[in-house]
Protein backbone atom coordinates (compact mmCIF):
# COMPACT_ATOMS: atom_id res chain seq x y z
CA UNK A 1 0.00 0.00 0.00
CA UNK A 2 1.02 3.58 -0.61
CA UNK A 3 1.75 6.08 2.12
CA UNK A 4 -0.82 8.84 1.66
CA UNK A 5 1.72 11.56 2.33
CA UNK A 6 3.40 10.88 -1.01
CA UNK A 7 0.30 11.63 -3.05
CA UNK A 8 0.29 14.73 -5.23
CA UNK A 9 -3.28 14.31 -6.51
CA UNK A 10 -6.23 12.60 -4.85
CA UNK A 11 -9.61 11.81 -6.40
CA UNK A 12 -12.77 10.86 -4.52
CA UNK A 13 -16.10 9.56 -5.77
CA UNK A 14 -19.24 11.06 -4.20
CA UNK A 15 -21.95 8.37 -4.06
CA UNK A 16 -20.99 5.78 -1.48
CA UNK A 17 -17.55 7.32 -0.90
CA UNK A 18 -17.77 10.95 0.22
CA UNK A 19 -21.47 10.45 0.93
CA UNK A 20 -23.31 7.75 2.81
CA UNK A 21 -26.48 7.37 0.72
CA UNK A 22 -29.67 8.22 2.59
CA UNK A 23 -32.63 9.67 0.74
CA UNK A 24 -36.07 10.56 2.09
CA UNK A 25 -38.43 8.88 -0.36
CA UNK A 26 -41.99 10.00 -1.17
CA UNK A 27 -43.37 7.24 1.09
CA UNK A 28 -41.66 8.90 4.08
CA UNK A 29 -38.99 6.22 4.46
CA UNK A 30 -35.25 6.66 4.15
CA UNK A 31 -33.52 4.48 1.57
CA UNK A 32 -29.98 4.08 0.26
CA UNK A 33 -31.15 4.49 -3.30
CA UNK A 34 -33.94 4.16 -5.81
CA UNK A 35 -34.46 3.10 -9.43
CA UNK A 36 -33.00 5.48 -12.04
CA UNK A 37 -36.35 6.88 -13.18
CA UNK A 38 -37.41 7.62 -9.60
CA UNK A 39 -33.98 9.17 -8.92
CA UNK A 40 -34.33 11.51 -11.88
CA UNK A 41 -37.77 12.69 -10.69
CA UNK A 42 -36.45 13.05 -7.11
CA UNK A 43 -33.56 15.25 -8.26
CA UNK A 44 -35.77 17.37 -10.50
CA UNK A 45 -38.05 18.10 -7.52
CA UNK A 46 -35.27 18.53 -4.99
CA UNK A 47 -32.07 20.47 -5.71
CA UNK A 48 -30.79 19.39 -2.31
CA UNK A 49 -31.26 15.65 -2.84
CA UNK A 50 -28.22 14.84 -0.68
CA UNK A 51 -29.35 16.80 2.39
CA UNK A 52 -29.95 13.61 4.44
CA UNK A 53 -26.81 11.80 3.27
CA UNK A 54 -24.12 11.23 5.85
CA UNK A 55 -20.37 11.56 5.64
CA UNK A 56 -17.97 8.80 6.74
CA UNK A 57 -16.16 10.20 9.78
CA UNK A 58 -12.69 8.79 8.91
CA UNK A 59 -12.88 10.62 5.55
CA UNK A 60 -12.20 13.98 7.22
CA UNK A 61 -8.99 12.65 8.75
CA UNK A 62 -7.77 11.27 5.43
CA UNK A 63 -8.65 14.45 3.54
CA UNK A 64 -7.01 16.58 6.21
CA UNK A 65 -3.81 14.52 6.05
CA UNK A 66 -3.68 14.62 2.26
CA UNK A 67 -4.34 18.36 2.14
CA UNK A 68 -1.80 18.98 4.89
CA UNK A 69 0.79 17.06 2.90
CA UNK A 70 0.14 19.26 -0.14
CA UNK A 71 -1.98 16.94 -2.27
CA UNK A 72 -4.42 18.55 -4.68
CA UNK A 73 -7.85 17.14 -3.86
CA UNK A 74 -10.52 16.50 -6.49
CA UNK A 75 -14.02 15.07 -6.56
CA UNK A 76 -14.70 12.72 -9.49
CA UNK A 77 -18.32 11.73 -9.97
CA UNK A 78 -20.36 10.05 -12.67
CA UNK A 79 -23.35 12.23 -13.49
CA UNK A 80 -25.05 13.47 -16.63
CA UNK A 81 -28.22 14.96 -15.13
CA UNK A 82 -27.92 18.68 -14.37
CA UNK A 83 -30.24 18.58 -11.34
CA UNK A 84 -28.15 15.82 -9.73
CA UNK A 85 -24.93 17.74 -10.46
CA UNK A 86 -26.38 20.70 -8.57
CA UNK A 87 -27.32 18.47 -5.62
CA UNK A 88 -23.93 16.79 -5.55
CA UNK A 89 -22.09 20.12 -5.72
CA UNK A 90 -24.23 21.44 -2.89
CA UNK A 91 -23.47 18.35 -0.80
CA UNK A 92 -19.73 18.89 -1.28
CA UNK A 93 -20.06 22.59 -0.41
CA UNK A 94 -22.13 21.84 2.69
CA UNK A 95 -19.93 19.02 3.99
CA UNK A 96 -16.41 19.38 2.58
CA UNK A 97 -15.87 23.09 1.89
CA UNK A 98 -12.55 23.04 3.72
CA UNK A 99 -11.23 20.51 1.19
CA UNK A 100 -12.96 21.18 -2.15
CA UNK A 101 -14.21 24.15 -4.15
CA UNK A 102 -16.66 23.93 -7.04
CA UNK A 103 -13.66 24.04 -9.37
CA UNK A 104 -12.41 20.79 -7.79
CA UNK A 105 -15.57 18.85 -8.76
CA UNK A 106 -15.28 16.89 -11.99
CA UNK A 107 -18.31 15.22 -13.54
CA UNK A 108 -18.01 12.52 -16.19
CA UNK A 109 -21.00 11.10 -18.05
CA UNK A 110 -20.13 7.44 -17.50
CA UNK A 111 -17.99 5.54 -15.02
CA UNK A 112 -15.74 4.17 -17.77
CA UNK A 113 -14.40 7.72 -18.15
CA UNK A 114 -13.17 7.99 -14.55
CA UNK A 115 -9.77 6.30 -14.86
CA UNK A 116 -8.95 8.00 -18.20
CA UNK A 117 -9.85 11.33 -16.57
CA UNK A 118 -7.45 10.64 -13.70
CA UNK A 119 -4.70 9.74 -16.16
CA UNK A 120 -5.40 12.88 -18.18
CA UNK A 121 -5.24 15.07 -15.08
CA UNK A 122 -2.00 13.38 -14.00
CA UNK A 123 -0.53 14.25 -17.37
CA UNK A 124 -1.79 17.85 -17.20
CA UNK A 125 -0.32 18.26 -13.70
CA UNK A 126 2.91 16.37 -14.54
CA UNK A 127 2.16 13.85 -11.79
CA UNK A 128 3.08 10.18 -12.25
CA UNK A 129 0.03 7.92 -11.77
CA UNK A 130 1.62 6.23 -8.74
CA UNK A 131 1.51 9.62 -6.99
CA UNK A 132 -2.24 9.89 -7.55
CA UNK A 133 -4.70 8.43 -5.09
CA UNK A 134 -8.23 7.35 -6.04
CA UNK A 135 -10.97 6.28 -3.61
CA UNK A 136 -14.25 4.78 -4.85
CA UNK A 137 -16.87 2.26 -3.79
CA UNK A 138 -16.78 0.48 -7.17
CA UNK A 139 -14.35 -2.47 -7.02
CA UNK A 140 -14.18 -2.62 -10.81
CA UNK A 141 -12.98 0.97 -11.05
CA UNK A 142 -10.50 0.48 -8.21
CA UNK A 143 -9.03 -2.55 -9.98
CA UNK A 144 -8.91 -0.70 -13.31
CA UNK A 145 -7.06 2.20 -11.68
CA UNK A 146 -4.57 -0.20 -10.10
CA UNK A 147 -3.84 -1.57 -13.59
CA UNK A 148 -2.57 1.92 -14.46
CA UNK A 149 -0.41 2.17 -11.33
CA UNK A 150 -2.79 4.62 -9.62
CA UNK A 151 -2.86 4.18 -5.83
CA UNK A 152 -6.52 3.18 -5.78
CA UNK A 153 -8.47 2.12 -2.70
CA UNK A 154 -11.94 0.84 -2.06
CA UNK A 155 -13.89 2.99 0.41
CA UNK A 156 -14.03 0.08 2.86
CA UNK A 157 -10.25 0.42 3.32
CA UNK A 158 -10.86 3.83 4.87
CA UNK A 159 -11.76 2.12 8.11
CA UNK A 160 -8.20 0.74 8.27
CA UNK A 161 -6.66 4.19 7.84
CA UNK A 162 -4.81 5.53 10.84
CA UNK A 163 -3.17 8.90 10.79
CA UNK A 164 0.50 8.64 9.93
CA UNK A 165 0.50 4.92 9.13
CA UNK A 166 0.54 2.96 5.93
CA UNK A 167 -2.85 2.82 4.30
Amino acid sequence: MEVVYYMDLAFFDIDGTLSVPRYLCPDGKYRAGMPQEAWEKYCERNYNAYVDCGTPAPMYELLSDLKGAGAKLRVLSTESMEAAKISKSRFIEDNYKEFFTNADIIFVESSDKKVPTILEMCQEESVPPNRACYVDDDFGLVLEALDYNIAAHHISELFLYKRGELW
Side-chain angles (χ1 to χ4, degrees):
M1 299 234 179
E2 300 289 331
V3 177
V4 297
Y5 301 112
Y6 297 128
M7 297 297 121
D8 294 319
L9 278 171
F11 298 87
F12 297 84
D13 176 49
I14 295 178
D15 296 308
T17 303
L18 290 172
S19 75
V20 178
R22 185 172 191 250
Y23 307 102
L24 181 59
C25 294
D27 64 5
K29 295 181 180 179
Y30 287 99
R31 294 200 171 76
M34 57 193 85
Q36 185 63 31
E37 186 177 313
W39 174 247
E40 290 173 8
K41 288 179 184 175
Y42 185 79
C43 287
E44 290 296 334
R45 286 190 318 258
N46 182 0
Y47 283 94
N48 198 6
Y50 286 74
V51 69
D52 294 311
C53 291
T55 55
M59 184 61 76
Y60 291 102
E61 194 169 287
L62 174 61
L63 290 168
S64 182
D65 286 351
L66 285 165
K67 183 178 180 179
K72 295 178 183 176
L73 307 177
R74 303 287 185 265
V75 174
L76 181 58
S77 182
T78 302
E79 192 55 68
S80 59
M81 193 172 53
E82 198 57 37
K85 288 180 183 180
I86 292 168
S87 287
K88 287 181 177 190
S89 296
R90 188 170 183 181
F91 173 80
I92 296 300
E93 184 179 328
D94 290 347
N95 293 281
Y96 293 103
K97 64 180 162 235
E98 63 270 33
F99 303 110
F100 304 106
T101 67
N102 277 334
D104 297 322
I105 303 171
I106 303 159
F107 291 108
V108 293
E109 289 195 17
S110 61
S111 61
D112 64 335
K113 299 208 181 325
K114 282 186 163 183
V115 172
T117 298
I118 293 170
L119 293 169
E120 182 180 307
M121 296 212 51
C122 284
Q123 188 171 23
E124 287 174 11
E125 300 275 345
S126 299
V127 172
N130 68 335
R131 292 183 60 109
C133 176
Y134 173 47
V135 182
D136 203 310
D137 64 320
D138 183 321
F139 280 111
L141 290 173
V142 169
L143 293 173
E144 180 185 352
L146 288 169
D147 286 344
Y148 288 94
N149 207 24
I150 297 165
H153 300 279
H154 187 268
I155 183 63
S156 61
E157 293 180 78
L158 182 63
F159 297 102
L160 299 177
Y161 178 72
K162 292 183 183 160
R163 183 165 265 162
E165 292 183 14
L166 290 177
W167 183 39

